[in-house]
Amino acid sequence: MIWRAVVLAVVLCGPFPAWAVLTQVPDEEIAVDIIVNYGSAYKDGTWVPVDVLVDNKDFDVSGWVEVKTFSGPSGDEEQSPRYRVRAESPRNSRKRFRLYCRLDRTTRVEAMLYRGRRSALDLPAWFQVEPIDSDALLGLILDDEPVDFGFLYNLAPGAGSGRRFHREGLNTDLLSSLADHGECYEPFDLIVMGDIDPNRVGLRHREVLRDYVRAGGVLVVCTGANGTQYRGTWVEGLLGVEMGQQEVWNELDLAKAAFDDEEQEGARDGWECVVTQLVPAAPEVKVRGKDRVVATLRPIGGGCVAGIAVDASSRALQGCVGYRNLWRDLFLLRSRPGQLNLAAAAEACSWQWPQIIGMSIASRSSVLIYLCLYVGIGVIANWFVCSIFRRRELAWVLLVVFSAGFTAYAMIFGTEGRAKAGELEQFEVLRIPKDGGRARLHSILGVVSARTQRYSMDLAGDGALVENLPSGVLPWASGGRGAGLWARPFNFVQDEPERIEDFVVGASELRLIRVDTALPSPGRVEGHLVLDEKGLNGTLFNKTGYAIREPFVVLDGHIYGMKSRGDSWEIALPRGRLDRDALRPPAPRPYGYYGPGAPSEGNLDSFRRDFLFTLLSDQASRDSVDGGLGPLVCGWTTGACIGGVAMDEQVKNGTAQGLLLVADIEVVRGAGIALGPYPLKVEVSDATRGGWQANGNVAIMVPSWLARREPEEIIVEITRTVSEDAPPYFNLLRDGMKLEVTDVIQETSETRDGRLTRRTKYRIADWRSYFDSGAHRIYGETPHPAGRSRGEEALEISAWAVMKSEDGEQSKWR
């Protein structure tokens, strides 16, 4: 049959594009297509929409569509969960079924149509996937001709050094297939609306786009010839402008009216384009343009909405330096916000919850029972029975059999203590936006089971997403087999109501999942703080309805405690004490089980502090707070968890319970207030170990959030014992290149403990050229001083980043 030949061709010839898994549908057959993330480009570790197209020419099917993901070089290691949605596929119909999947190190995606419990196809539809680079830029273009935005490929920041821009596009007819979940938009560095009918965007998708902007996204609307389509619509209100009349301009004249002299280069004389007049209607709207407004910018939450006065189809200004710089700046705006480090927080839960639960490991009673049974049955009873039947020679044979049996039991089930009862542990993080919108509830759940059991769960809220978390057997279970990591995949049913089914937890196993849902916002934190030359001051008012103990402010990579007076929180820190009074993260310790220990409020409070700092830590280096977060206020509530997951089986709540409230707030910055400076961690290798070979002996760590902020310069201060054998210098190293830093901004000498030392400050302005983005480090070398005595630090190196002021960063917008 034809369909068998097509399937054989897929298997033998390898992966096809998503739209070409099956290219022809024979009569009286069923074919399945898969489309990932509107096309193929996606970033690893993100949620993507997966569309399964079912072309049914055979028989009526009532069942479900199931999508499986696989990892590993050969794509044979199934990941958890399996994604399901109910499906009704009548004969002679073609339907699209939407599922949302998390692709993390995924190499293969499969889709199957089920009829009851049996598959409707002999083989599933599948294709291999590969993520784009983690530092690549990704854009979503909503335009009937997405190719008109091809000029963006060369404008992405870092494009000259190999950083690529990937584009996914949807035309007007496909606007209904926009993702319903905000998490699916997080990977996009910007979303562009061009030549489309904005009224074809559904109400739910409009709200999701607003939430994307509030969360730090950049939405760009290109008007020009498209101005009549946007005038009077929801997009005009979102931009905060009034769209006036349309005018035809000569491109060179427009460049002269909009840009400074040095930015007019590349504009064409005689090339006509349509320009839409953009008049700010909201007070927070900023404009760009000298005598003629060419763009507007409206900040909303952590992101912004930009309006462009020209369209892309006319190719207007695409060669002009000022217009290209405008788009480069829009790319950079998306890089500012940070994300809660939920992955690291979940990892901390998987390792430290056993201690909080208070279950003892290596139980003496279980070991004694095992030994008594072995001696009583294998030796005493065996010898006694064989003596009664006068067959003592069999005692030795039976002893070997009993020994093998007890050994097999110990290897399979272990001899240590077991969990006595099932428990549900959960920590919840409620994220409340500053400017309205829906709140997000992030739940980390751990289920401990005394025996192997199958659970089902109902998910509360709207638009739930479920992620399986790595976990393992508890320390008292045998061998540390890591069953939680490779446990049987469960089913995530994405119907109404959304459910988790077939969730199997083995005996004495701690299995973790993370559930993210949208909830109506319970309120917000009102008021604002002021950061100026006087310091950080202000009062916030808790209108969330939750009682918070010990609220904290997170600002520019620092955490500050606040004074709580009921529902009002106050802070008053002088400028000179901002760095000194910041709360320091607890000393990092390797993950592991730190028991045994009885459950106590002290253990839980200690872990809550660890959990908070881990949640706020940088994605790459967990020993520093992500400065891209915030400003926000956070604190543990005094009440119970919200309960975003309801289990069908009765399982008692365990000791590890907590609800952390995280709310975005407003901080008003004084004019010219620089962000930072931020101290950087410096690693110095011992001279006797030869440093890091080609990477020298100094490593300056630059967290990922700080690198996104583009510091203006990095200052390195080196204090060394004065020695004629080692003249002072500091070299930067990268890919075989070596540069001696000669920009010395200060050099002093002082006497320490009777020894003369020299302190030298170096300025590194072009730090990006020597930044290793993979290791998040800048490598260098400096000579170790001679005559280093035991126990005496003869070389000290510190570094910090100096940030641009807000005024300088927004100078082109007014």
Side-chain angles (χ1 to χ4, degrees):
M1 297 177 67
I2 299 178
W3 68 271
R4 294 185 183 275
V6 174
V7 172
L8 182 61
V10 171
V11 174
L12 294 179
C13 298
F16 285 78
W19 47 267
V21 175
L22 291 178
T23 56
Q24 54 178 309
V25 183
D27 295 338
E28 301 182 356
E29 295 294 344
I30 300 177
V32 175
D33 272 358
I34 310 174
I35 301 176
V36 174
N37 205 27
Y38 316 118
S40 59
Y42 75 94
K43 289 188 176 182
D44 207 18
T46 60
W47 287 93
V48 300
V50 176
D51 292 317
V52 180
L53 307 179
V54 178
D55 195 351
N56 186 355
K57 297 182 180 298
D58 198 346
F59 51 83
D60 294 343
V61 176
S62 178
W64 63 82
V65 169
E66 181 179 81
V67 172
K68 298 179 182 179
T69 59
F70 298 82
S71 62
S74 57
D76 56 354
E77 299 174 2
E78 185 178 355
Q79 297 177 309
S80 184
R82 298 169 179 168
Y83 306 91
R84 288 187 174 186
V85 64
R86 300 197 180 278
E88 298 291 336
S89 176
R91 184 181 180 184
N92 295 324
S93 68
R94 181 175 175 84
K95 284 191 173 184
R96 176 192 297 260
F97 299 94
R98 166 65 60 84
L99 299 96
Y100 295 94
C101 307
R102 189 176 188 274
L103 304 186
D104 188 4
R105 297 185 296 275
T106 303
T107 57
R108 175 186 171 105
V109 177
E110 282 187 2
M112 174 60 79
L113 176 66
Y114 284 91
R115 184 184 187 184
R117 293 182 175 273
R118 303 184 61 181
S119 60
L121 304 173
D122 291 341
L123 294 173
W126 64 273
F127 69 100
Q128 289 181 319
V129 295
E130 184 177 355
I132 62 178
D133 294 336
S134 59
D135 63 341
L137 297 172
L138 183 62
L140 177 60
I141 310 297
L142 307 181
D143 192 282
D144 288 337
E145 296 293 338
V147 295
D148 291 339
F149 292 86
F151 68 98
L152 296 180
Y153 285 103
N154 297 323
L155 299 184
S161 57
R163 191 182 190 188
R164 297 189 58 187
F165 171 72
H166 298 264
R167 181 194 69 205
E168 295 294 342
L170 290 177
N171 58 32
T172 300
D173 294 334
L174 295 177
L175 290 177
S176 60
S177 63
L178 283 167
D180 296 334
H181 294 275
E183 285 81 356
C184 297
Y185 297 87
E186 289 180 2
F188 291 106
D189 293 278
L190 80 168
I191 299 176
V192 181
M193 300 179 68
D195 184 13
I196 60 168
D197 181 2
N199 293 319
R200 297 278 294 274
V201 179
L203 295 178
R204 179 181 177 88
H205 294 147
R206 297 178 192 180
E207 187 60 32
V208 171
L209 288 175
R210 290 189 183 97
D211 290 341
Y212 162 77
V213 174
R214 293 188 187 102
V218 178
L219 178 63
V220 183
V221 181
C222 295
T223 60
N226 310 318
T228 55
Q229 301 168 214
Y230 290 108
R231 187 179 296 122
T233 67
W234 63 277
V235 176
E236 186 178 35
L238 186 63
L239 284 169
V241 302
E242 292 182 359
M243 296 187 184
Q245 61 182 359
Q246 293 174 305
E247 302 174 344
V248 178
W249 278 70
N250 177 47
E251 183 178 290
L252 181 59
D253 294 338
L254 178 60
K256 291 180 179 179
F259 305 114
D260 295 331
D261 294 343
E262 64 273 10
E263 290 189 323
Q264 298 171 12
E265 183 180 352
R268 296 164 293 185
D269 190 10
W271 189 276
E272 293 185 344
C273 57
V274 177
V275 181
T276 296
Q277 184 180 12
L278 301 177
V279 181
E284 67 273 14
V285 174
K286 299 179 180 181
V287 299
R288 190 154 175 171
K290 187 173 58 174
D291 300 321
R292 175 75 185 196
V293 175
V294 71
T296 63
L297 184 71
R298 183 187 187 187
I300 299 178
C304 58
V305 182
I308 307 295
V310 297
D311 57 88
S313 58
S314 64
R315 307 293 194 270
L317 297 174
Q318 292 183 8
C320 179
V321 172
Y323 187 71
R324 296 169 73 87
N325 289 338
L326 167 63
W327 279 97
R328 289 191 180 96
D329 292 343
L330 293 176
F331 271 111
L332 292 176
L333 291 176
R334 180 63 177 104
S335 301
R336 295 174 60 88
Q339 299 291 332
L340 295 175
N341 200 346
L342 290 162
E347 185 179 358
C349 290
S350 67
W351 286 108
Q352 297 193 43
W353 268 354
Q355 180 190 19
I356 300 172
I357 295 171
M359 304 178 74
S360 61
I361 62 173
S363 171
R364 294 182 180 180
S365 60
S366 63
V367 176
L368 290 175
I369 292 173
Y370 174 84
L371 293 177
C372 290
L373 288 175
Y374 175 73
V375 174
I377 297 175
V379 180
I380 299 176
N382 176 28
W383 184 263
F384 181 74
V385 173
C386 289
S387 298
I388 292 177
F389 290 97
R390 298 181 180 180
R391 298 292 302 273
R392 292 182 176 178
E393 67 278 4
L394 289 178
W396 299 104
V397 178
L398 294 175
L399 181 60
V400 173
V401 173
F402 285 132
S403 298
F406 274 87
T407 301
Y409 175 87
M411 294 179 62
I412 297 174
F413 299 102
T415 62
E416 298 177 339
R418 312 286 291 176
K420 294 182 179 180
E423 289 188 7
L424 174 64
E425 321 293 339
Q426 74 177 325
F427 267 26
E428 294 178 335
V429 179
L430 181 63
R431 183 72 183 268
I432 299 177
K434 178 179 63 175
D435 298 325
R438 297 175 65 80
R440 295 297 299 181
L441 179 64
H442 308 282
S443 303
I444 301 175
L445 293 95
V447 180
V448 180
S449 181
R451 66 181 189 278
T452 301
Q453 193 158 340
R454 193 184 311 269
Y455 298 93
S456 296
M457 311 175 194
D458 290 327
L459 306 179
D462 180 30
L465 296 174
V466 180
E467 176 187 351
N468 185 62
L469 297 177
S471 56
V473 294
L474 295 181
W476 54 87
S478 63
R481 297 184 302 273
L485 180 59
W486 306 111
R488 173 178 173 175
F490 59 88
N491 299 325
F492 173 28
V493 182
Q494 300 180 356
D495 280 313
E496 294 291 342
E498 294 168 308
R499 288 176 53 81
I500 295 174
E501 296 178 346
D502 201 22
F503 187 77
V504 179
V505 183
S508 293
E509 180 181 325
L510 172 64
R511 189 167 187 186
L512 283 84
I513 57 173
R514 177 180 138 197
V515 180
D516 296 342
T517 57
L519 298 173
S521 180
R524 64 192 186 115
V525 176
E526 299 180 354
H528 66 273
L529 304 180
V530 177
L531 177 63
D532 54 18
E533 66 279 356
K534 297 179 180 179
L536 181 62
N537 301 274
T539 303
L540 301 175
F541 301 94
N542 180 15
K543 302 296 183 180
T544 64
Y546 291 96
I548 307 296
R549 52 183 177 183
E550 297 182 359
F552 302 95
V553 172
V554 181
L555 176 65
D556 295 342
H558 297 84
I559 301 178
Y560 305 103
M562 301 190 73
K563 294 181 180 180
S564 178
R565 291 183 173 88
D567 289 337
S568 66
W569 306 327
E570 299 177 356
I571 188 170
L573 281 178
R575 179 86 176 156
R577 291 172 50 189
L578 287 179
D579 184 65
R580 186 183 66 185
D581 289 3
L583 301 179
R584 306 301 178 188
R589 53 180 177 175
Y591 285 138
Y593 184 72
Y594 301 104
S600 67
E601 188 66 23
N603 287 342
L604 184 57
D605 287 341
S606 176
F607 176 69
R608 280 174 175 161
R609 178 181 173 86
D610 292 347
F611 182 89
L612 173 63
F613 277 98
T614 304
L615 184 71
L616 302 176
S617 65
D618 183 70
Q619 302 283 340
S621 55
R622 298 180 183 177
D623 55 352
S624 63
V625 177
D626 189 341
L629 280 171
L632 51 85
V633 63
C634 56
W636 292 97
T637 65
T638 58
C641 293
I642 296 176
V645 177
M647 302 187 67
D648 292 350
E649 296 77 9
Q650 292 295 325
V651 179
K652 70 173 184 177
N653 289 332
T655 306
Q657 302 284 322
L659 172 62
L660 178 67
L661 186 140
V662 180
D664 294 294
I665 61 174
E666 180 182 1
V667 174
V668 179
R669 299 180 185 271
I673 297 298
L675 308 180
Y678 295 104
L680 304 176
K681 182 179 179 180
V682 180
E683 299 174 345
V684 182
S685 71
D686 195 294
T688 59
R689 291 182 289 177
W692 289 283
Q693 298 177 0
N695 290 328
N697 60 354
V698 177
I700 303 171
M701 297 184 62
V702 182
S704 56
W705 67 265
L706 190 58
R708 294 194 305 266
R709 287 281 190 93
E710 296 287 339
E712 185 174 15
E713 58 189 21
I714 289 179
I715 304 299
V716 179
E717 182 179 86
I718 300 178
T719 303
R720 70 178 74 250
T721 302
V722 176
S723 171
E724 297 180 357
D725 299 333
Y729 66 81
F730 181 60
N731 293 336
L732 294 174
L733 306 173
R734 178 69 194 277
D735 298 333
M737 297 186 299
K738 179 183 294 187
L739 172 69
E740 182 175 354
V741 182
T742 58
D743 190 354
V744 178
I745 58 178
Q746 185 180 11
E747 189 168 13
T748 60
S749 299
E750 61 181 3
T751 302
R752 286 188 181 181
D753 300 328
R755 303 189 66 182
L756 184 62
T757 60
R758 179 186 289 119
R759 177 177 298 170
T760 309
K761 286 186 179 180
Y762 300 90
R763 178 190 288 116
I764 306 175
D766 188 24
W767 63 271
R768 174 65 73 173
S769 300
Y770 294 87
F771 177 61
D772 188 335
S773 59
H776 299 281
R777 286 170 169 82
I778 298 175
Y779 292 105
E781 64 177 5
T782 189
H784 281 276
R788 182 171 181 173
S789 60
R790 183 178 181 85
E792 180 184 356
E793 277 296 330
L795 178 65
E796 299 176 2
I797 302 179
S798 58
W800 57 90
V802 178
M803 309 302 295
K804 301 176 183 178
S805 67
E806 286 286 315
D807 290 350
E809 202 168 290
Q810 303 288 346
S811 60
K812 295 183 179 180
W813 298 92
R814 53 183 175 85

